[in-house]
Amino acid sequence: MEVTFRIKRFNPEIDTKAAYKEYVVDVEPTDRVLDALFRIKWYQDGSLTFRRSCAHGICGSDAMRINGRNRLACKELMLDYGNKITIEPLLGYQVVKDLVIDMTRFFDAYKSVSPFLIADEAPVNRERLQSPADRDRFEDTTKCILCAACTTACPITWTTDQFVGPAAIVNAHRFIFDSRDQGAGIRLKVLNERSGVWRCRTVFNCTEACPRDIEITKAIEEVKRALLFDKVS
Amino acid sequence: MAYHRFDAVIVGAGGAGLMAAIQMAGQANIAVVSKLYPPRSHTGAAQGGISAALGNTEEDHWEWHMFDTVKGGDYLVDQDAAEVLAREAVDAVLELEHMGLPFNRTPEGKIDQRRFGGHTRNFGEAPVRRACFAADRTGHMIIQTLYQQGIKHKVNFFDEHHLLDVLFTEDGQACGVVTIDIATGEIHVLHAKAIMIATGGYGRAWSVTSNAHAGTGDGVAIPWRKGIVPLMDMEFYQFHPTGLYKLGVLLSEAARGEGGILRNSTGEAFCERYAPTLKDLAPRDMVSRFIYEEVREGRGIDGKDYVHLDLTHLPPEVIDAKLPDVTDFARTYLRVEPKTEPVPIQPTAHYAMGGLPTDVDGRVIKDRDANPIPGFYSAGESACVSVHGANRLGTNSLVDLVVFGRRAGKHMLNYVREADLQPLPANPEDVARAAVSDLLSRDKGENAADIRSELQVMMMEKVGVVRTETGLKEALAEIGDLKSRYANVAIQDKGKRFNTDLLEAHELGCLLDCAEATAFGALMRTESRGGHYRSDFEARDDVNWLAHTLAYYSPNGIEIDKKPVTITKFEPKERKY
Ligand SMILES: Cc1cc2nc3c(=O)[nH]c(=O)nc-3n(C[C@H](O)[C@H](O)[C@H](O)COP(=O)(O)OP(=O)(O)OC[C@H]3O[C@@H](n4cnc5c(N)ncnc54)[C@H](O)[C@@H]3O)c2cc1C
Ligand code: FES
């Protein structure tokens, strides 16, 4: 089937401002949007630039705005889009080139919540024990692939750079609710600051955007509750 | 040009590279270079599990794991290395848990374990639960956990830097790498006492593959071209039996570990006919050939080149708890509901058993006598220790990354404490710069995408699950032609900033070299063993071929040498399951 791609292009090396370009591509209905982008890059315009790697929704490289929604291009099939489709870079971060955004702020926010296990000495020659129920407590937030779809869907991110964003909170949640972790205090302190969870207005954009179906708003609410009641359960 | 000096530079931030980095962080001045942000490395795609004889759910011993590894590899495994793998796997998995990896748990709170192909109890009696797992996203949890540790230990990451060259002194010591900063296009020279290659595999040489677009064998091809570093056992490339039809996206063996069954067009569970004991859980090379046979004899679904993976008899809650991601792949990409419908699958190019030959400390060796190249290391899929021999068992790659990544890191740490920094060759960035300017120089010429797709389709046909002398000779001739055309490639993007047009063309050059080494080894090896199956030499030939191949690059063509296999505990036997 023939599809018209409207793609927002911007190369700061040569362009003064971003502009949309149209490409007509012949695709199979079962092609991924990523496959179609490749077809444009390989056979029409080699300068079209986007990140990619795994091509099946696991590495987090190719989050972009597809018809106004944050999606992984490799997880969307053409058959769900009809014959006109608009592709833009994620909002809120600086564009490096075309669909590639500068991820520095994203990873800085991630690092600010100490995203690693903080715990006492491990036992010798065996694992730390954890019940299946305790393991389930944080299962959902372990699924994050750091694609930035949630953080860049959040209207707060668009208006201020003083918000850690949903992805960082999700990753803090992953440790705060891990029964083996003892660093909750450190993380909750960061998330209690002006740039922390209280900036969240429960818009649910993040949850809608997550390609891993993480219940992000719920995780953020759980962190807020842990702060309010000074208790992690 | 930017110049940096380090004790050690690790190229690749997958499981192997990060594991090595964590051993050295804070104790030596190191850098980790990766063309992708570390958590985007393909280790994150690993699904099913990581094996270790913890014995958490039933009796198990590292000797059994070692035996399975040796037998699974069709006795081409170096048994000293397999012993290290199986013994240290236990410690490695516990270390991952201590770092915070969220494994699934048994009711008692221990790490849960499940069955996987070729892993047995008591030297082949019956399947054993040895694979430790975190749902079906074990690799995701490993890459996240190791990256988190990298952050904790303040590892110096060069994110989105693409390797262009590895530097050696005149007397053959590794002394640096040249990279291009993808965002700016600037060339960097990283001068160091030790270099480690952990750049993963090259599955993108085939059209149907489970590998990422980034899996182009860069770190394997680049040093090989220098002529001093050989590649070992490149003919052994694994096809995983269950890739999504046409797409190659992997459905983990865990699906069969949890009870999934392969069926042909008559609905028959055909694996039983070929492997009465292990059935669907026979090693991958075998199951891929079973599928090939079924299709050849007309029992593919609708007479086509695929069969069904049937999960419909599994309790839906098992599917949701233990196979959430793989079943989601079937829903997303094929719009098939695995709880009620069978999933169309076909073998998919998956894993390079061959690569840079190393000893058990990750040191790259240069000849049949295992003499190391000073300062040059490798681990993970880019390396060949060899613990996988002619066919890797499922879950053994993740073990390999952790065990040998760790050993390489430890050895490098001691090495850089003793060794002196060697002077760089004159104009160290010249080769890299020349490669880049050559690719940028032509306004008209060959399209890289055409060359890539012709290579991939040809490799699938002629250097795939079943090979013949005629096919391999044609393959080599075609690769020769593609290489000449590649010398005339023109790219459209001439800019410096985030030029993926340029880098994809560079990656294609690496793929062509890896493909050539694979096809050449396959032509030389006139026997069938593990993942290398020659329909014109169907039997394993221990008299002539119980040996590794070492392939040396030379401008006049590849030269092959043989290296003996280390056999300690298990004498080669016929492989039956
Ligand atoms: C879908 C899938 C499922 C799998 N499931 C399992 C499983 O369940 N159990 C198991 O044991 N094994 C499994 N495997 C195999 C295993 O995951 C891989 O073999 C292993 O993860 C490879 O790890 P690595 O560290 O060697 O390389 P990778 O994780 O591939 O990392 C390579 C690194 O090198 C970098 N790099 C590459 N080229 C360059 C360059 N030119 N410049 C700079 N950096 C570069 C990349 O950015 C990346 O950081 C699976 C593989 C696949 C594809
Ligand atoms: S390419 Fe990896 S998530 Fe899309």
Side-chain angles (χ1 to χ4, degrees):
Chain A
M1 63 196 225
E2 233 172 47
V3 179
T4 305
F5 272 72
R6 222 174 129 250
I7 305 181
K8 193 170 185 183
R9 306 277 319 258
F10 179 50
N11 179 0
E13 251 183 333
I14 44 180
D15 303 327
T16 47
K17 63 181 202 332
Y20 289 89
K21 263 199 187 168
E22 290 202 353
Y23 302 90
V24 179
V25 211
D26 200 17
V27 298
E28 298 287 325
T30 50
D31 277 347
R32 294 162 275 210
V33 171
L34 182 67
D35 299 320
L37 291 175
F38 272 128
R39 209 149 300 162
I40 297 171
K41 182 175 181 64
W42 291 343
Y43 300 108
Q44 297 188 34
D45 187 344
S47 70
L48 176 65
T49 302
F50 48 90
R51 291 191 176 100
R52 88 296 183 256
S53 188
C54 72
H56 64 281
I58 198 70
C59 77
S61 293
D62 60 343
M64 54 187 73
R65 270 161 73 83
I66 304 180
N67 285 352
R69 286 164 178 238
N70 287 3
R71 293 288 183 267
L72 297 174
C74 65
K75 250 192 131 170
E76 302 298 304
L77 298 193
M78 290 309 306
L79 55 89
D80 293 323
Y81 282 91
N83 49 19
K84 249 190 137 76
I85 181 167
T86 302
I87 310 270
E88 298 159 309
L90 297 174
L91 292 176
Y93 293 148
Q94 209 165 358
V95 172
V96 176
K97 185 173 165 187
D98 295 343
L99 305 171
V100 174
I101 53 158
D102 184 344
M103 299 288 289
T104 314
R105 247 173 73 199
F106 179 81
F107 279 105
D108 283 350
Y110 171 70
K111 289 171 196 162
S112 76
V113 300
S114 303
F116 40 80
L117 190 79
I118 299 175
D120 287 344
E121 278 296 288
V124 182
N125 287 334
R126 65 168 183 83
E127 62 270 61
R128 292 191 178 88
L129 299 180
Q130 180 169 56
S131 73
D134 282 345
R135 161 72 173 68
D136 277 350
R137 186 68 191 80
F138 65 104
E139 151 82 6
D140 200 37
T141 44
T142 62
K143 295 189 305 201
C144 174
I145 54 174
L146 301 171
C147 68
C150 59
T151 296
T152 59
C154 174
I156 320 293
T157 306
W158 303 338
T159 53
T160 173
D161 57 6
Q162 297 299 309
F163 177 40
V164 290
I169 304 173
V170 161
N171 282 281
H173 179 285
R174 177 251 171 273
F175 288 103
I176 293 170
F177 292 92
D178 184 336
S179 58
R180 301 168 297 174
D181 186 83
Q182 286 148 5
I186 300 170
R187 296 187 192 94
L188 287 171
K189 188 159 172 286
V190 173
L191 295 178
N192 202 20
E193 285 166 13
R194 271 172 52 94
S195 56
V197 285
W198 305 114
R199 290 239 174 194
C200 166
R201 292 281 170 269
T202 326
V203 183
F204 279 95
N205 276 15
C206 51
T207 303
E208 194 280 331
C210 180
R212 306 283 289 154
D213 297 327
I214 300 173
E215 294 184 84
I216 303 179
T217 312
K218 183 173 163 215
I220 296 176
E221 288 304 305
E222 288 179 352
V223 172
K224 285 180 179 170
R225 234 172 298 141
L227 277 168
L228 282 176
F229 303 110
D230 200 18
K231 182 171 113 212
V232 175
S233 60
Chain B
M1 183 198 87
Y3 171 87
H4 314 261
R5 184 182 294 177
F6 294 102
D7 289 328
V9 172
I10 296 167
V11 187
L18 289 178
M19 199 65 199
I22 292 165
Q23 312 307 310
M24 305 183 76
Q27 305 179 68
N29 181 18
I30 62 161
V32 175
V33 172
S34 174
K35 66 181 177 183
L36 306 169
Y37 275 100
R40 317 227 184 280
S41 304
H42 211 48
T43 293
Q47 301 167 354
I50 173 166
S51 273
L54 300 179
N56 278 358
T57 56
E58 58 185 319
E59 184 184 356
D60 200 5
H61 302 281
W62 69 260
E63 290 90 342
W64 297 355
H65 187 185
M66 175 185 170
F67 170 77
D68 291 336
T69 301
V70 171
K71 180 177 172 191
D74 222 347
Y75 294 90
L76 194 71
V77 171
D78 284 320
Q79 296 187 13
D80 53 339
E83 178 163 343
V84 170
L85 179 96
R87 266 180 194 273
E88 296 187 10
V90 174
D91 229 31
V93 165
L94 294 179
E95 188 175 344
L96 289 174
E97 196 284 329
H98 294 165
M99 288 176 182
L101 198 138
F103 284 108
N104 279 39
R105 301 288 172 156
T106 65
E108 309 80 59
K110 294 184 185 172
I111 295 171
D112 201 2
Q113 299 189 275
R114 67 174 158 212
R115 292 176 177 159
F116 238 82
H119 290 279
T120 69
R121 95 176 127 75
N122 206 13
F123 309 104
E125 259 175 34
V128 75
R129 291 189 174 78
R130 184 177 292 146
C132 312
F133 62 100
D136 53 358
R137 52 182 92 97
T138 313
H140 166 75
M141 301 300 193
I142 290 181
I143 197 77
Q144 296 287 327
T145 303
L146 294 178
Y147 182 50
Q148 291 157 1
Q149 292 295 308
I151 291 172
K152 178 178 168 189
H153 293 290
K154 306 200 163 55
V155 168
N156 187 359
F157 287 109
F158 280 59
D159 292 332
E160 300 197 319
H161 270 247
H162 187 109
L163 177 77
L164 291 175
D165 198 14
V166 180
L167 303 171
F168 293 90
T169 61
E170 243 166 55
D171 60 351
Q173 304 193 40
C175 62
V177 297
V178 185
T179 69
I180 181 168
D181 178 353
I182 302 176
T184 63
E186 194 185 5
I187 301 278
H188 289 245
V189 173
L190 286 71
H191 186 186
K193 296 175 186 175
I195 304 298
M196 174 173 173
I197 297 290
T199 51
Y202 61 95
R204 281 284 152 180
W206 287 266
S207 57
V208 177
T209 178
S210 65
N211 282 199
H213 285 280
T216 49
D218 311 356
V220 170
I222 290 170
W224 186 54
R225 289 175 193 151
K226 308 259 161 182
I228 47 174
V229 182
L231 296 179
M232 189 159 99
D233 291 343
M234 289 294 279
E235 58 274 28
F236 295 103
Y237 195 90
Q238 178 172 81
F239 281 74
H240 191 296
T242 56
L244 283 186
Y245 182 46
K246 285 190 179 161
L247 289 168
V249 172
L250 194 77
L251 296 191
S252 170
E253 203 165 287
R256 281 170 288 138
E258 298 291 351
I261 293 171
L262 295 177
R263 298 188 189 278
N264 60 21
S265 60
T266 69
E268 182 202 9
F270 57 86
C271 289
E272 219 176 304
R273 207 179 338 113
Y274 300 91
T277 312
L278 291 192
K279 302 179 183 135
D280 290 87
L281 287 177
R284 291 174 180 173
D285 59 322
M286 294 183 151
V287 178
S288 285
R289 277 196 298 278
F290 303 162
I291 296 173
Y292 181 91
E293 250 338 277
E294 290 302 299
V295 166
R296 204 177 58 93
E297 289 174 16
R299 290 190 295 275
I301 309 296
D302 293 335
K304 296 206 183 114
D305 57 343
Y306 69 94
V307 295
H308 276 148
L309 172 63
D310 182 5
L311 304 175
T312 55
H313 54 287
L314 299 186
E317 58 281 6
V318 169
I319 293 188
D320 289 338
K322 297 195 167 162
L323 304 167
D325 279 12
V326 299
T327 45
D328 205 41
F329 296 146
R331 285 180 205 113
T332 303
Y333 297 110
L334 299 183
R335 303 286 153 111
V336 161
E337 175 47 64
K339 286 178 187 165
T340 53
E341 300 166 273
V343 185
I345 57 97
Q346 76 182 136
T348 181
H350 186 57
Y351 184 86
M353 269 76 73
L356 297 164
T358 71
D359 65 13
V360 292
D361 290 311
R363 295 189 293 180
V364 177
I365 58 173
K366 63 180 166 204
D367 52 30
R368 56 185 306 159
D369 301 321
N371 287 307
I373 299 174
F376 198 40
Y377 292 78
S378 184
E381 196 171 334
S382 58
C384 180
V385 185
S386 151
V387 285
H388 308 305
N391 170 63
R392 171 173 75 80
L393 288 190
T395 71
N396 264 355
S397 168
L398 294 176
V399 192
D400 173 3
L401 307 182
V402 183
V403 167
F404 292 102
R406 185 164 69 161
R407 289 179 74 97
K410 290 206 160 107
H411 198 278
M412 257 195 297
L413 184 58
N414 288 328
Y415 178 82
V416 300
R417 283 180 173 150
E418 310 272 306
D420 295 321
L421 189 72
Q422 300 296 315
L424 287 174
N427 306 319
E429 78 280 23
D430 272 8
V431 174
R433 259 192 217 289
V436 168
S437 20
D438 177 67
L439 287 170
L440 291 170
S441 66
R442 283 170 294 274
D443 288 325
K444 278 216 162 63
E446 293 283 343
N447 178 354
D450 286 336
I451 298 177
R452 189 190 307 108
S453 76
E454 283 174 46
L455 173 73
Q456 292 169 334
V457 170
M458 183 283 291
M459 288 293 283
M460 209 68 201
E461 242 170 64
K462 294 177 180 161
V463 197
V465 176
V466 174
R467 302 154 175 190
T468 64
E469 178 179 326
T470 329
L472 290 166
K473 283 190 167 153
E474 286 167 9
L476 284 164
E478 285 176 48
I479 293 169
D481 288 346
L482 292 173
K483 280 187 144 182
S484 326
R485 283 168 58 193
Y486 177 74
N488 197 27
V489 153
I491 58 174
Q492 289 175 299
D493 192 340
K494 309 286 186 193
K496 284 179 81 70
R497 192 178 257 256
F498 226 99
N499 190 340
T500 52
D501 205 15
L502 169 72
L503 296 177
E504 283 189 356
H506 183 264
E507 290 172 333
L508 172 60
C510 297
L511 273 184
L512 284 164
D513 281 344
C514 291
E516 185 173 23
T518 305
F520 193 82
L523 178 63
M524 290 296 111
R525 188 175 284 272
T526 46
E527 66 157 353
S528 292
R529 183 187 297 271
H532 170 67
Y533 188 82
R534 289 276 304 256
S535 57
D536 45 356
F537 294 92
E538 287 186 299
R540 194 174 85 188
D541 175 2
D542 284 346
V543 177
N544 295 300
W545 286 108
L546 186 58
H548 302 292
T549 54
L550 291 175
Y552 291 85
Y553 180 89
S554 96
N556 310 320
I558 299 173
E559 283 159 25
I560 292 275
D561 199 2
K562 285 188 191 173
K563 181 175 176 294
V565 175
T566 308
I567 292 168
T568 56
K569 287 193 159 74
F570 305 110
E571 278 305 315
K573 281 204 194 114
E574 195 194 342
R575 203 166 57 128
K576 273 199 192 136
Y577 286 95

